Amino acid sequence: MSVKIGYARVSTIDQNMDEQLEVLTAAGCSKIFSGKQSGVSKVNEDKLNELIDYIREGDTIIVTRLDRLGRSLKSILSAIERIHSKGANLKTLDGVVDTSVESPFAKAVINLISTFAQLERDLIYTRTSEGRAKAKAAGKHMGRPKQIDERDRERIRASKAGVVELSRKYSVSHTTI
């Protein structure tokens, strides 16, 4: 038996979700998960997890718009994949997505969303790689700050003391030694 389950979200306390709740109720949702939180917040992730834990095979998740699932294409695509892994479908009331329809157009929309999500990941990787390369070229240290300066490193290498004693002496972990 297919059950319609709604998901409503607004990003700030000042926003009102009454309209979303009314539309989801009118669409026949028997249960609605909702919250007022940013799309990138831990609370939003928890609400989505609660929804996805609740759903069963054959259920249909209904949202007013696709962006209610998250703020980035990556988070939206991840939510769609998790919904599908439970054997449920996703439908947006604005008509953009309906994964219960097995039409070529519906499949193309999901593939297009996936393509843009991959593009977003690739662009982020490219930008961070370029930034890291520029920083290294400028002589900036990448990664965690060093806890032991070079002079102390030489002393540690020359020392005959054990790891435990050295870590106490330099106030660092055994791993650092």
Side-chain angles (χ1 to χ4, degrees):
M1 181 175 151
S2 178
V3 176
K4 293 180 180 178
I5 302 162
Y7 183 72
R9 178 184 64 84
V10 292
S11 300
T12 66
I13 301 295
D14 298 335
Q15 291 179 326
N16 189 328
M17 76 169 58
D18 290 344
E19 183 179 342
Q20 284 183 63
L21 296 174
E22 288 172 16
V23 171
L24 291 170
T25 301
C29 294
S30 59
K31 182 165 180 68
I32 299 173
F33 290 81
S34 64
K36 290 187 176 191
Q37 63 272 339
S38 163
V40 294
S41 76
K42 175 79 171 112
V43 176
N44 189 51
E45 185 179 329
D46 292 344
K47 286 289 184 182
L48 270 173
N49 287 337
E50 187 180 334
L51 166 74
I52 293 170
D53 287 345
Y54 179 83
I55 61 176
R56 302 290 174 253
E57 187 172 344
D59 289 348
T60 299
I61 308 310
I62 300 187
V63 292
T64 54
R65 293 187 328 262
L66 197 56
D67 68 346
R68 297 299 83 202
L69 290 176
R71 290 189 113 166
S72 69
L73 283 171
K74 179 181 176 183
S75 64
I76 291 168
L77 186 61
S78 173
I80 292 171
E81 288 173 359
R82 291 172 58 214
I83 289 167
H84 284 170
S85 75
K86 299 277 299 239
N89 293 302
L90 173 70
K91 181 177 182 176
T92 60
L93 295 178
D94 63 3
V96 173
V97 174
D98 184 352
T99 62
S100 66
V101 176
E102 291 293 323
S103 74
F105 183 74
K107 289 179 183 177
V109 168
I110 295 300
N111 286 329
L112 189 59
I113 291 169
S114 300
T115 299
F116 280 112
Q118 184 61 48
L119 175 64
E120 180 181 42
R121 285 190 292 269
D122 292 348
L123 289 173
I124 290 169
Y125 178 79
T126 300
R127 284 192 301 267
T128 55
S129 295
E130 289 170 354
R132 201 174 7 248
K134 285 180 184 177
K136 280 185 177 181
K140 292 187 179 176
H141 173 73
M142 301 302 295
R144 292 175 57 181
K146 295 184 189 240
Q147 294 189 339
I148 302 173
D149 64 30
E150 196 55 44
R151 189 175 44 200
D152 286 341
R153 286 172 181 268
E154 292 299 323
R155 290 182 188 137
I156 290 168
R157 285 186 194 105
S159 174
K160 301 290 183 206
V163 172
V164 173
E165 184 182 334
L166 289 169
S167 65
R168 284 188 190 136
K169 180 178 179 181
Y170 292 96
S171 300
V172 295
S173 70
H174 300 127
T175 308
T176 301
I177 295 297

